[in-house]
């Protein structure tokens, strides 16, 4: 069963609606003791990474999250929280995965935020992207991106520059796109996570 970390910065309704459609059991994590009820976790997030980190710190859950040994998935800002630092608010984050969250540079012909569908190219062999073809489309809404680092990149996308659409390290996974809004392949990814 999946535990969703509630800290006041996640769009939980769209995520729980997708899990309901898929028949994936879930519950909410509001305090440290709640973690023991679940065998995997999702950290959602929308909005400002620095503000989200402040809210997360205020819950007192940060030490527990950093010590998790079970599969954990960060979505959108939830993924950015797994990195070491964000240019958004010059914010120190969880530093679980040693990469940085950077702001897209303004380029002619490109709008920021990066909004809409884009191709995602995953490394072969990782269970999170099982049965998802290379170049599958996922739905993005973000002005900040995860720097590409081959050691931690699970999938990449190009918009203005190449960036990490998905990262991973040990039991921690992150996706910049919104799987719950990404149709068939987004649902496949959520099902895959529920089986890791």
């Amino acid at each position: 069963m999946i535990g969703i970390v509630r800290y006041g910065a996640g769009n939980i309704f769209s995520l729980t609606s997708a899990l309901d459609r898929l028949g994936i059991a879930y519950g909410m994590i509001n305090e440290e003791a709640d973690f023991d009820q679940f065998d995997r976790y999702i950290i959602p997030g929308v909005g400002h990474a620095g503000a989200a980190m402040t809210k997360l710190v205020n819950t007192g859950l940060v030490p527990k999250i950093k010590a998790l040994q079970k599969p954990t998935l960060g979505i959108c800002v939830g993924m950015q929280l797994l990195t070491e630092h964000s240019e958004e608010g010059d914010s120190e984050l969880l530093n679980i995965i040693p990469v940085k969250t950077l702001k897209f540079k303004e380029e002619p012909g490109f709008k920021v935020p990066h909004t809409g569908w884009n191709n995602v190219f995953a490394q072969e062999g990782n269970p999170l992207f099982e049965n998802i073809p290379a170049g599958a489309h996922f739905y993005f809404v973000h002005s900040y991106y995860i720097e590409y680092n081959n050691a931690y990149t699970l999938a990449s996308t190009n918009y203005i520059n190449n960036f990490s659409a998905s990262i991973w390290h040990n039991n921690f996974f992150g996706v910049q796109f919104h799987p719950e809004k990404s149709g068939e392949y987004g649902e496949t990814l959520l099902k895959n996570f529920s089986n890791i």
Side-chain angles (χ1 to χ4, degrees), residues 2 19 22 24 40 42 71 73 122-123 125-133 138 154 173 175 177 179 184-196:
I2 294 175
L19 296 175
L22 294 167
I24 297 172
R40 63 204 67 236
I42 290 178
L73 175 67
Q123 295 178 357
N126 192 283
L128 190 64
F129 283 86
E130 188 174 354
N131 298 318
I132 296 174
F138 289 86
L154 180 51
F173 299 83
V175 291
F177 50 81
E184 175 188 357
Y185 294 129
E187 292 189 346
T188 298
L189 186 140
L190 290 171
K191 283 190 281 191
N192 288 343
F193 177 69
S194 75
N195 292 318
I196 288 176

PDB file of all heavy atoms in Angstrom, residues 2 19 22 24 40 42 71 73 122-123 125-133 138 154 173 175 177 179 184-196:
ATOM      1  N   ILE A   2       0.435   2.278  -0.712  1.00  0.00           N
ATOM      2  CA  ILE A   2       1.209   3.509  -0.863  1.00  0.00           C
ATOM      3  C   ILE A   2       0.797   4.539   0.186  1.00  0.00           C
ATOM      4  O   ILE A   2      -0.388   4.794   0.379  1.00  0.00           O
ATOM      5  CB  ILE A   2       1.010   4.094  -2.274  1.00  0.00           C
ATOM      6  CG1 ILE A   2       1.615   3.166  -3.335  1.00  0.00           C
ATOM      7  CG2 ILE A   2       1.635   5.491  -2.376  1.00  0.00           C
ATOM      8  CD1 ILE A   2       1.364   3.609  -4.759  1.00  0.00           C
ATOM      9  N   LEU A  19      -4.959   6.878  -8.615  1.00  0.00           N
ATOM     10  CA  LEU A  19      -4.771   5.631  -7.875  1.00  0.00           C
ATOM     11  C   LEU A  19      -6.094   4.895  -7.713  1.00  0.00           C
ATOM     12  O   LEU A  19      -6.144   3.658  -7.798  1.00  0.00           O
ATOM     13  CB  LEU A  19      -4.127   5.920  -6.518  1.00  0.00           C
ATOM     14  CG  LEU A  19      -2.714   6.507  -6.562  1.00  0.00           C
ATOM     15  CD1 LEU A  19      -2.235   6.854  -5.157  1.00  0.00           C
ATOM     16  CD2 LEU A  19      -1.734   5.552  -7.232  1.00  0.00           C
ATOM     17  N   LEU A  22      -6.941   3.068 -10.837  1.00  0.00           N
ATOM     18  CA  LEU A  22      -6.067   1.902 -11.030  1.00  0.00           C
ATOM     19  C   LEU A  22      -6.283   0.820  -9.975  1.00  0.00           C
ATOM     20  O   LEU A  22      -5.701  -0.260 -10.077  1.00  0.00           O
ATOM     21  CB  LEU A  22      -4.602   2.361 -11.003  1.00  0.00           C
ATOM     22  CG  LEU A  22      -4.186   3.272 -12.156  1.00  0.00           C
ATOM     23  CD1 LEU A  22      -2.846   3.922 -11.868  1.00  0.00           C
ATOM     24  CD2 LEU A  22      -4.141   2.486 -13.459  1.00  0.00           C
ATOM     25  N   ILE A  24      -5.255   0.970  -6.912  1.00  0.00           N
ATOM     26  CA  ILE A  24      -4.058   0.896  -6.062  1.00  0.00           C
ATOM     27  C   ILE A  24      -4.400   1.465  -4.687  1.00  0.00           C
ATOM     28  O   ILE A  24      -4.852   2.601  -4.575  1.00  0.00           O
ATOM     29  CB  ILE A  24      -2.885   1.674  -6.694  1.00  0.00           C
ATOM     30  CG1 ILE A  24      -2.484   1.034  -8.033  1.00  0.00           C
ATOM     31  CG2 ILE A  24      -1.696   1.726  -5.744  1.00  0.00           C
ATOM     32  CD1 ILE A  24      -1.465   1.845  -8.822  1.00  0.00           C
ATOM     33  N   ARG A  40       5.457   1.531   0.525  1.00  0.00           N
ATOM     34  CA  ARG A  40       6.096   2.462  -0.406  1.00  0.00           C
ATOM     35  C   ARG A  40       5.443   3.832  -0.223  1.00  0.00           C
ATOM     36  O   ARG A  40       4.366   3.929   0.384  1.00  0.00           O
ATOM     37  CB  ARG A  40       5.993   1.975  -1.852  1.00  0.00           C
ATOM     38  CG  ARG A  40       4.600   1.857  -2.381  1.00  0.00           C
ATOM     39  CD  ARG A  40       4.540   0.858  -3.532  1.00  0.00           C
ATOM     40  NE  ARG A  40       4.806  -0.479  -3.036  1.00  0.00           N
ATOM     41  CZ  ARG A  40       5.757  -1.306  -3.470  1.00  0.00           C
ATOM     42  NH1 ARG A  40       6.555  -0.926  -4.450  1.00  0.00           N
ATOM     43  NH2 ARG A  40       5.932  -2.490  -2.954  1.00  0.00           N
ATOM     44  N   ILE A  42       4.783   8.117  -1.697  1.00  0.00           N
ATOM     45  CA  ILE A  42       4.817   9.161  -2.722  1.00  0.00           C
ATOM     46  C   ILE A  42       4.892  10.518  -2.026  1.00  0.00           C
ATOM     47  O   ILE A  42       4.143  10.784  -1.079  1.00  0.00           O
ATOM     48  CB  ILE A  42       3.574   9.117  -3.630  1.00  0.00           C
ATOM     49  CG1 ILE A  42       3.608   7.865  -4.528  1.00  0.00           C
ATOM     50  CG2 ILE A  42       3.492  10.374  -4.504  1.00  0.00           C
ATOM     51  CD1 ILE A  42       2.400   7.707  -5.433  1.00  0.00           C
ATOM     52  N   PRO A  71      10.650   1.810  -1.328  1.00  0.00           N
ATOM     53  CA  PRO A  71      10.518   2.629  -2.540  1.00  0.00           C
ATOM     54  C   PRO A  71       9.752   3.925  -2.283  1.00  0.00           C
ATOM     55  O   PRO A  71       8.682   3.918  -1.670  1.00  0.00           O
ATOM     56  CB  PRO A  71       9.740   1.715  -3.490  1.00  0.00           C
ATOM     57  CG  PRO A  71      10.054   0.324  -3.028  1.00  0.00           C
ATOM     58  CD  PRO A  71      10.178   0.430  -1.536  1.00  0.00           C
ATOM     59  N   LEU A  73       8.669   7.737  -4.223  1.00  0.00           N
ATOM     60  CA  LEU A  73       8.545   8.449  -5.492  1.00  0.00           C
ATOM     61  C   LEU A  73       8.183   9.905  -5.242  1.00  0.00           C
ATOM     62  O   LEU A  73       7.153  10.204  -4.631  1.00  0.00           O
ATOM     63  CB  LEU A  73       7.463   7.791  -6.355  1.00  0.00           C
ATOM     64  CG  LEU A  73       7.117   8.490  -7.679  1.00  0.00           C
ATOM     65  CD1 LEU A  73       8.292   8.436  -8.648  1.00  0.00           C
ATOM     66  CD2 LEU A  73       5.870   7.848  -8.310  1.00  0.00           C
ATOM     67  N   ALA A 122      13.608   6.965 -21.478  1.00  0.00           N
ATOM     68  CA  ALA A 122      14.075   6.303 -20.255  1.00  0.00           C
ATOM     69  C   ALA A 122      15.223   5.355 -20.548  1.00  0.00           C
ATOM     70  O   ALA A 122      15.328   4.790 -21.649  1.00  0.00           O
ATOM     71  CB  ALA A 122      12.928   5.537 -19.603  1.00  0.00           C
ATOM     72  N   GLN A 123      16.077   5.169 -19.555  1.00  0.00           N
ATOM     73  CA  GLN A 123      17.082   4.112 -19.615  1.00  0.00           C
ATOM     74  C   GLN A 123      16.366   2.771 -19.647  1.00  0.00           C
ATOM     75  O   GLN A 123      15.324   2.580 -19.030  1.00  0.00           O
ATOM     76  CB  GLN A 123      17.994   4.158 -18.385  1.00  0.00           C
ATOM     77  CG  GLN A 123      18.853   5.390 -18.280  1.00  0.00           C
ATOM     78  CD  GLN A 123      19.683   5.379 -17.007  1.00  0.00           C
ATOM     79  OE1 GLN A 123      19.563   4.480 -16.188  1.00  0.00           O
ATOM     80  NE2 GLN A 123      20.526   6.386 -16.852  1.00  0.00           N
ATOM     81  N   GLY A 125      15.629  -1.077 -18.796  1.00  0.00           N
ATOM     82  CA  GLY A 125      15.863  -2.036 -17.722  1.00  0.00           C
ATOM     83  C   GLY A 125      15.435  -1.587 -16.345  1.00  0.00           C
ATOM     84  O   GLY A 125      15.514  -2.371 -15.404  1.00  0.00           O
ATOM     85  N   ASN A 126      14.980  -0.328 -16.188  1.00  0.00           N
ATOM     86  CA  ASN A 126      14.528   0.080 -14.866  1.00  0.00           C
ATOM     87  C   ASN A 126      13.042  -0.226 -14.725  1.00  0.00           C
ATOM     88  O   ASN A 126      12.254   0.089 -15.609  1.00  0.00           O
ATOM     89  CB  ASN A 126      14.775   1.561 -14.623  1.00  0.00           C
ATOM     90  CG  ASN A 126      14.577   1.927 -13.166  1.00  0.00           C
ATOM     91  OD1 ASN A 126      13.451   2.050 -12.690  1.00  0.00           O
ATOM     92  ND2 ASN A 126      15.670   2.081 -12.435  1.00  0.00           N
ATOM     93  N   PRO A 127      12.640  -0.838 -13.604  1.00  0.00           N
ATOM     94  CA  PRO A 127      11.239  -1.263 -13.470  1.00  0.00           C
ATOM     95  C   PRO A 127      10.227  -0.120 -13.463  1.00  0.00           C
ATOM     96  O   PRO A 127       9.058  -0.346 -13.767  1.00  0.00           O
ATOM     97  CB  PRO A 127      11.224  -2.020 -12.130  1.00  0.00           C
ATOM     98  CG  PRO A 127      12.444  -1.550 -11.395  1.00  0.00           C
ATOM     99  CD  PRO A 127      13.459  -1.257 -12.443  1.00  0.00           C
ATOM    100  N   LEU A 128      10.640   1.121 -13.151  1.00  0.00           N
ATOM    101  CA  LEU A 128       9.688   2.225 -13.123  1.00  0.00           C
ATOM    102  C   LEU A 128       9.115   2.494 -14.515  1.00  0.00           C
ATOM    103  O   LEU A 128       7.958   2.912 -14.650  1.00  0.00           O
ATOM    104  CB  LEU A 128      10.337   3.495 -12.557  1.00  0.00           C
ATOM    105  CG  LEU A 128       9.375   4.653 -12.259  1.00  0.00           C
ATOM    106  CD1 LEU A 128       8.381   4.276 -11.154  1.00  0.00           C
ATOM    107  CD2 LEU A 128      10.140   5.907 -11.862  1.00  0.00           C
ATOM    108  N   PHE A 129       9.915   2.260 -15.563  1.00  0.00           N
ATOM    109  CA  PHE A 129       9.481   2.536 -16.934  1.00  0.00           C
ATOM    110  C   PHE A 129       9.216   1.260 -17.728  1.00  0.00           C
ATOM    111  O   PHE A 129       9.199   1.290 -18.958  1.00  0.00           O
ATOM    112  CB  PHE A 129      10.516   3.417 -17.640  1.00  0.00           C
ATOM    113  CG  PHE A 129      10.445   4.862 -17.235  1.00  0.00           C
ATOM    114  CD1 PHE A 129      11.139   5.317 -16.113  1.00  0.00           C
ATOM    115  CD2 PHE A 129       9.674   5.778 -17.939  1.00  0.00           C
ATOM    116  CE1 PHE A 129      11.067   6.637 -15.716  1.00  0.00           C
ATOM    117  CE2 PHE A 129       9.606   7.110 -17.564  1.00  0.00           C
ATOM    118  CZ  PHE A 129      10.289   7.539 -16.449  1.00  0.00           C
ATOM    119  N   GLU A 130       8.970   0.176 -17.060  1.00  0.00           N
ATOM    120  CA  GLU A 130       8.659  -1.075 -17.749  1.00  0.00           C
ATOM    121  C   GLU A 130       7.385  -0.911 -18.585  1.00  0.00           C
ATOM    122  O   GLU A 130       6.408  -0.291 -18.152  1.00  0.00           O
ATOM    123  CB  GLU A 130       8.466  -2.202 -16.721  1.00  0.00           C
ATOM    124  CG  GLU A 130       8.329  -3.567 -17.337  1.00  0.00           C
ATOM    125  CD  GLU A 130       8.289  -4.664 -16.291  1.00  0.00           C
ATOM    126  OE1 GLU A 130       8.485  -4.373 -15.097  1.00  0.00           O
ATOM    127  OE2 GLU A 130       8.051  -5.813 -16.682  1.00  0.00           O
ATOM    128  N   ASN A 131       7.421  -1.437 -19.809  1.00  0.00           N
ATOM    129  CA  ASN A 131       6.285  -1.380 -20.746  1.00  0.00           C
ATOM    130  C   ASN A 131       5.919   0.049 -21.169  1.00  0.00           C
ATOM    131  O   ASN A 131       4.787   0.310 -21.578  1.00  0.00           O
ATOM    132  CB  ASN A 131       5.052  -2.071 -20.158  1.00  0.00           C
ATOM    133  CG  ASN A 131       5.291  -3.545 -19.882  1.00  0.00           C
ATOM    134  OD1 ASN A 131       5.902  -4.233 -20.706  1.00  0.00           O
ATOM    135  ND2 ASN A 131       4.847  -4.027 -18.743  1.00  0.00           N
ATOM    136  N   ILE A 132       6.879   0.961 -21.059  1.00  0.00           N
ATOM    137  CA  ILE A 132       6.698   2.332 -21.544  1.00  0.00           C
ATOM    138  C   ILE A 132       7.730   2.559 -22.645  1.00  0.00           C
ATOM    139  O   ILE A 132       8.937   2.476 -22.392  1.00  0.00           O
ATOM    140  CB  ILE A 132       6.884   3.361 -20.412  1.00  0.00           C
ATOM    141  CG1 ILE A 132       5.801   3.174 -19.339  1.00  0.00           C
ATOM    142  CG2 ILE A 132       6.843   4.789 -20.972  1.00  0.00           C
ATOM    143  CD1 ILE A 132       5.985   4.039 -18.107  1.00  0.00           C
ATOM    144  N   PRO A 133       7.309   2.805 -23.888  1.00  0.00           N
ATOM    145  CA  PRO A 133       8.274   2.917 -24.990  1.00  0.00           C
ATOM    146  C   PRO A 133       9.116   4.180 -24.905  1.00  0.00           C
ATOM    147  O   PRO A 133       8.681   5.201 -24.351  1.00  0.00           O
ATOM    148  CB  PRO A 133       7.383   2.939 -26.240  1.00  0.00           C
ATOM    149  CG  PRO A 133       6.060   3.455 -25.758  1.00  0.00           C
ATOM    150  CD  PRO A 133       5.913   2.964 -24.351  1.00  0.00           C
ATOM    151  N   PHE A 138       4.584  12.488 -21.855  1.00  0.00           N
ATOM    152  CA  PHE A 138       4.102  12.745 -20.495  1.00  0.00           C
ATOM    153  C   PHE A 138       3.806  14.237 -20.377  1.00  0.00           C
ATOM    154  O   PHE A 138       4.326  15.056 -21.133  1.00  0.00           O
ATOM    155  CB  PHE A 138       5.138  12.319 -19.456  1.00  0.00           C
ATOM    156  CG  PHE A 138       5.298  10.834 -19.333  1.00  0.00           C
ATOM    157  CD1 PHE A 138       6.161  10.137 -20.160  1.00  0.00           C
ATOM    158  CD2 PHE A 138       4.573  10.117 -18.386  1.00  0.00           C
ATOM    159  CE1 PHE A 138       6.302   8.771 -20.062  1.00  0.00           C
ATOM    160  CE2 PHE A 138       4.705   8.744 -18.268  1.00  0.00           C
ATOM    161  CZ  PHE A 138       5.568   8.072 -19.110  1.00  0.00           C
ATOM    162  N   LEU A 154      17.284   8.753 -14.753  1.00  0.00           N
ATOM    163  CA  LEU A 154      16.551   7.562 -15.159  1.00  0.00           C
ATOM    164  C   LEU A 154      15.872   7.792 -16.510  1.00  0.00           C
ATOM    165  O   LEU A 154      15.720   6.872 -17.298  1.00  0.00           O
ATOM    166  CB  LEU A 154      15.510   7.216 -14.083  1.00  0.00           C
ATOM    167  CG  LEU A 154      14.614   6.013 -14.292  1.00  0.00           C
ATOM    168  CD1 LEU A 154      15.423   4.772 -14.633  1.00  0.00           C
ATOM    169  CD2 LEU A 154      13.785   5.766 -13.041  1.00  0.00           C
ATOM    170  N   PHE A 173      13.006   7.500  -6.181  1.00  0.00           N
ATOM    171  CA  PHE A 173      12.720   7.803  -7.576  1.00  0.00           C
ATOM    172  C   PHE A 173      12.049   9.172  -7.632  1.00  0.00           C
ATOM    173  O   PHE A 173      11.354   9.581  -6.700  1.00  0.00           O
ATOM    174  CB  PHE A 173      11.750   6.773  -8.175  1.00  0.00           C
ATOM    175  CG  PHE A 173      12.251   5.362  -8.169  1.00  0.00           C
ATOM    176  CD1 PHE A 173      12.127   4.569  -7.036  1.00  0.00           C
ATOM    177  CD2 PHE A 173      12.832   4.809  -9.306  1.00  0.00           C
ATOM    178  CE1 PHE A 173      12.583   3.260  -7.016  1.00  0.00           C
ATOM    179  CE2 PHE A 173      13.288   3.497  -9.301  1.00  0.00           C
ATOM    180  CZ  PHE A 173      13.160   2.720  -8.161  1.00  0.00           C
ATOM    181  N   VAL A 175       9.965  11.916 -10.631  1.00  0.00           N
ATOM    182  CA  VAL A 175       9.540  12.269 -11.984  1.00  0.00           C
ATOM    183  C   VAL A 175       9.123  13.734 -11.996  1.00  0.00           C
ATOM    184  O   VAL A 175       8.401  14.190 -11.120  1.00  0.00           O
ATOM    185  CB  VAL A 175       8.393  11.365 -12.491  1.00  0.00           C
ATOM    186  CG1 VAL A 175       8.900   9.946 -12.720  1.00  0.00           C
ATOM    187  CG2 VAL A 175       7.199  11.350 -11.553  1.00  0.00           C
ATOM    188  N   PHE A 177       7.458  15.174 -14.552  1.00  0.00           N
ATOM    189  CA  PHE A 177       6.128  15.245 -15.148  1.00  0.00           C
ATOM    190  C   PHE A 177       5.067  14.754 -14.155  1.00  0.00           C
ATOM    191  O   PHE A 177       5.381  14.254 -13.078  1.00  0.00           O
ATOM    192  CB  PHE A 177       6.082  14.412 -16.440  1.00  0.00           C
ATOM    193  CG  PHE A 177       6.615  13.014 -16.278  1.00  0.00           C
ATOM    194  CD1 PHE A 177       5.833  12.003 -15.741  1.00  0.00           C
ATOM    195  CD2 PHE A 177       7.921  12.701 -16.663  1.00  0.00           C
ATOM    196  CE1 PHE A 177       6.315  10.713 -15.581  1.00  0.00           C
ATOM    197  CE2 PHE A 177       8.419  11.408 -16.513  1.00  0.00           C
ATOM    198  CZ  PHE A 177       7.612  10.420 -15.966  1.00  0.00           C
ATOM    199  N   PRO A 179       2.511  11.996 -13.714  1.00  0.00           N
ATOM    200  CA  PRO A 179       1.982  10.733 -14.242  1.00  0.00           C
ATOM    201  C   PRO A 179       0.465  10.646 -14.121  1.00  0.00           C
ATOM    202  O   PRO A 179      -0.202  10.051 -14.970  1.00  0.00           O
ATOM    203  CB  PRO A 179       2.686   9.663 -13.396  1.00  0.00           C
ATOM    204  CG  PRO A 179       3.173  10.377 -12.182  1.00  0.00           C
ATOM    205  CD  PRO A 179       3.443  11.780 -12.601  1.00  0.00           C
ATOM    206  N   GLU A 184      -2.359   6.952 -20.516  1.00  0.00           N
ATOM    207  CA  GLU A 184      -2.029   5.529 -20.406  1.00  0.00           C
ATOM    208  C   GLU A 184      -0.642   5.292 -19.823  1.00  0.00           C
ATOM    209  O   GLU A 184      -0.468   4.459 -18.931  1.00  0.00           O
ATOM    210  CB  GLU A 184      -2.131   4.891 -21.800  1.00  0.00           C
ATOM    211  CG  GLU A 184      -1.693   3.434 -21.845  1.00  0.00           C
ATOM    212  CD  GLU A 184      -1.609   2.881 -23.253  1.00  0.00           C
ATOM    213  OE1 GLU A 184      -1.950   3.623 -24.218  1.00  0.00           O
ATOM    214  OE2 GLU A 184      -1.203   1.717 -23.399  1.00  0.00           O
ATOM    215  N   TYR A 185       0.353   6.004 -20.330  1.00  0.00           N
ATOM    216  CA  TYR A 185       1.719   5.732 -19.870  1.00  0.00           C
ATOM    217  C   TYR A 185       1.955   6.244 -18.455  1.00  0.00           C
ATOM    218  O   TYR A 185       2.727   5.661 -17.691  1.00  0.00           O
ATOM    219  CB  TYR A 185       2.745   6.299 -20.851  1.00  0.00           C
ATOM    220  CG  TYR A 185       2.698   5.596 -22.188  1.00  0.00           C
ATOM    221  CD1 TYR A 185       2.593   6.311 -23.368  1.00  0.00           C
ATOM    222  CD2 TYR A 185       2.722   4.199 -22.268  1.00  0.00           C
ATOM    223  CE1 TYR A 185       2.532   5.667 -24.601  1.00  0.00           C
ATOM    224  CE2 TYR A 185       2.660   3.543 -23.491  1.00  0.00           C
ATOM    225  CZ  TYR A 185       2.562   4.281 -24.649  1.00  0.00           C
ATOM    226  OH  TYR A 185       2.494   3.634 -25.859  1.00  0.00           O
ATOM    227  N   GLY A 186       1.285   7.325 -18.083  1.00  0.00           N
ATOM    228  CA  GLY A 186       1.365   7.785 -16.703  1.00  0.00           C
ATOM    229  C   GLY A 186       0.784   6.760 -15.744  1.00  0.00           C
ATOM    230  O   GLY A 186       1.348   6.497 -14.672  1.00  0.00           O
ATOM    231  N   GLU A 187      -0.341   6.161 -16.139  1.00  0.00           N
ATOM    232  CA  GLU A 187      -0.950   5.133 -15.300  1.00  0.00           C
ATOM    233  C   GLU A 187      -0.068   3.891 -15.241  1.00  0.00           C
ATOM    234  O   GLU A 187       0.052   3.255 -14.189  1.00  0.00           O
ATOM    235  CB  GLU A 187      -2.347   4.798 -15.817  1.00  0.00           C
ATOM    236  CG  GLU A 187      -3.323   5.959 -15.626  1.00  0.00           C
ATOM    237  CD  GLU A 187      -4.766   5.590 -15.916  1.00  0.00           C
ATOM    238  OE1 GLU A 187      -5.002   4.514 -16.511  1.00  0.00           O
ATOM    239  OE2 GLU A 187      -5.664   6.384 -15.533  1.00  0.00           O
ATOM    240  N   THR A 188       0.582   3.570 -16.368  1.00  0.00           N
ATOM    241  CA  THR A 188       1.516   2.439 -16.376  1.00  0.00           C
ATOM    242  C   THR A 188       2.645   2.693 -15.382  1.00  0.00           C
ATOM    243  O   THR A 188       3.037   1.788 -14.622  1.00  0.00           O
ATOM    244  CB  THR A 188       2.087   2.208 -17.780  1.00  0.00           C
ATOM    245  OG1 THR A 188       1.022   1.893 -18.673  1.00  0.00           O
ATOM    246  CG2 THR A 188       3.096   1.060 -17.787  1.00  0.00           C
ATOM    247  N   LEU A 189       3.165   3.911 -15.356  1.00  0.00           N
ATOM    248  CA  LEU A 189       4.258   4.236 -14.430  1.00  0.00           C
ATOM    249  C   LEU A 189       3.805   4.094 -12.988  1.00  0.00           C
ATOM    250  O   LEU A 189       4.538   3.536 -12.147  1.00  0.00           O
ATOM    251  CB  LEU A 189       4.787   5.638 -14.715  1.00  0.00           C
ATOM    252  CG  LEU A 189       6.024   6.040 -13.901  1.00  0.00           C
ATOM    253  CD1 LEU A 189       7.007   6.824 -14.757  1.00  0.00           C
ATOM    254  CD2 LEU A 189       5.646   6.882 -12.685  1.00  0.00           C
ATOM    255  N   LEU A 190       2.610   4.578 -12.655  1.00  0.00           N
ATOM    256  CA  LEU A 190       2.111   4.439 -11.289  1.00  0.00           C
ATOM    257  C   LEU A 190       1.924   2.973 -10.917  1.00  0.00           C
ATOM    258  O   LEU A 190       2.241   2.563  -9.794  1.00  0.00           O
ATOM    259  CB  LEU A 190       0.797   5.214 -11.121  1.00  0.00           C
ATOM    260  CG  LEU A 190       0.916   6.739 -11.152  1.00  0.00           C
ATOM    261  CD1 LEU A 190      -0.455   7.377 -11.191  1.00  0.00           C
ATOM    262  CD2 LEU A 190       1.713   7.254  -9.947  1.00  0.00           C
ATOM    263  N   LYS A 191       1.428   2.170 -11.854  1.00  0.00           N
ATOM    264  CA  LYS A 191       1.293   0.736 -11.593  1.00  0.00           C
ATOM    265  C   LYS A 191       2.669   0.102 -11.386  1.00  0.00           C
ATOM    266  O   LYS A 191       2.844  -0.725 -10.479  1.00  0.00           O
ATOM    267  CB  LYS A 191       0.562   0.044 -12.742  1.00  0.00           C
ATOM    268  CG  LYS A 191      -0.941   0.266 -12.750  1.00  0.00           C
ATOM    269  CD  LYS A 191      -1.646  -0.621 -13.754  1.00  0.00           C
ATOM    270  CE  LYS A 191      -1.504  -0.077 -15.144  1.00  0.00           C
ATOM    271  NZ  LYS A 191      -2.391  -0.765 -16.132  1.00  0.00           N
ATOM    272  N   ASN A 192       3.620   0.497 -12.220  1.00  0.00           N
ATOM    273  CA  ASN A 192       4.978  -0.037 -12.060  1.00  0.00           C
ATOM    274  C   ASN A 192       5.523   0.282 -10.677  1.00  0.00           C
ATOM    275  O   ASN A 192       6.126  -0.569 -10.015  1.00  0.00           O
ATOM    276  CB  ASN A 192       5.912   0.538 -13.129  1.00  0.00           C
ATOM    277  CG  ASN A 192       5.641  -0.014 -14.516  1.00  0.00           C
ATOM    278  OD1 ASN A 192       4.982  -1.038 -14.691  1.00  0.00           O
ATOM    279  ND2 ASN A 192       6.160   0.676 -15.528  1.00  0.00           N
ATOM    280  N   PHE A 193       5.334   1.540 -10.237  1.00  0.00           N
ATOM    281  CA  PHE A 193       5.840   1.925  -8.917  1.00  0.00           C
ATOM    282  C   PHE A 193       5.185   1.093  -7.824  1.00  0.00           C
ATOM    283  O   PHE A 193       5.857   0.690  -6.860  1.00  0.00           O
ATOM    284  CB  PHE A 193       5.609   3.410  -8.657  1.00  0.00           C
ATOM    285  CG  PHE A 193       6.058   3.840  -7.291  1.00  0.00           C
ATOM    286  CD1 PHE A 193       7.399   3.865  -6.954  1.00  0.00           C
ATOM    287  CD2 PHE A 193       5.140   4.178  -6.316  1.00  0.00           C
ATOM    288  CE1 PHE A 193       7.824   4.218  -5.677  1.00  0.00           C
ATOM    289  CE2 PHE A 193       5.531   4.540  -5.034  1.00  0.00           C
ATOM    290  CZ  PHE A 193       6.886   4.559  -4.723  1.00  0.00           C
ATOM    291  N   SER A 194       3.907   0.817  -7.987  1.00  0.00           N
ATOM    292  CA  SER A 194       3.204   0.038  -6.952  1.00  0.00           C
ATOM    293  C   SER A 194       3.703  -1.393  -6.858  1.00  0.00           C
ATOM    294  O   SER A 194       3.414  -2.096  -5.882  1.00  0.00           O
ATOM    295  CB  SER A 194       1.694   0.053  -7.213  1.00  0.00           C
ATOM    296  OG  SER A 194       1.341  -0.790  -8.293  1.00  0.00           O
ATOM    297  N   ASN A 195       4.473  -1.833  -7.879  1.00  0.00           N
ATOM    298  CA  ASN A 195       4.985  -3.201  -7.907  1.00  0.00           C
ATOM    299  C   ASN A 195       6.490  -3.312  -7.691  1.00  0.00           C
ATOM    300  O   ASN A 195       7.039  -4.399  -7.695  1.00  0.00           O
ATOM    301  CB  ASN A 195       4.627  -3.854  -9.249  1.00  0.00           C
ATOM    302  CG  ASN A 195       3.138  -4.092  -9.391  1.00  0.00           C
ATOM    303  OD1 ASN A 195       2.488  -4.521  -8.461  1.00  0.00           O
ATOM    304  ND2 ASN A 195       2.596  -3.809 -10.567  1.00  0.00           N
ATOM    305  N   ILE A 196       7.156  -2.159  -7.507  1.00  0.00           N
ATOM    306  CA  ILE A 196       8.623  -2.196  -7.299  1.00  0.00           C
ATOM    307  C   ILE A 196       8.932  -2.791  -5.931  1.00  0.00           C
ATOM    308  O   ILE A 196       8.306  -2.424  -4.939  1.00  0.00           O
ATOM    309  CB  ILE A 196       9.225  -0.777  -7.432  1.00  0.00           C
ATOM    310  CG1 ILE A 196       9.214  -0.349  -8.902  1.00  0.00           C
ATOM    311  CG2 ILE A 196      10.656  -0.738  -6.894  1.00  0.00           C
ATOM    312  CD1 ILE A 196       9.695   1.063  -9.134  1.00  0.00           C
TER     313      ILE A 196
END
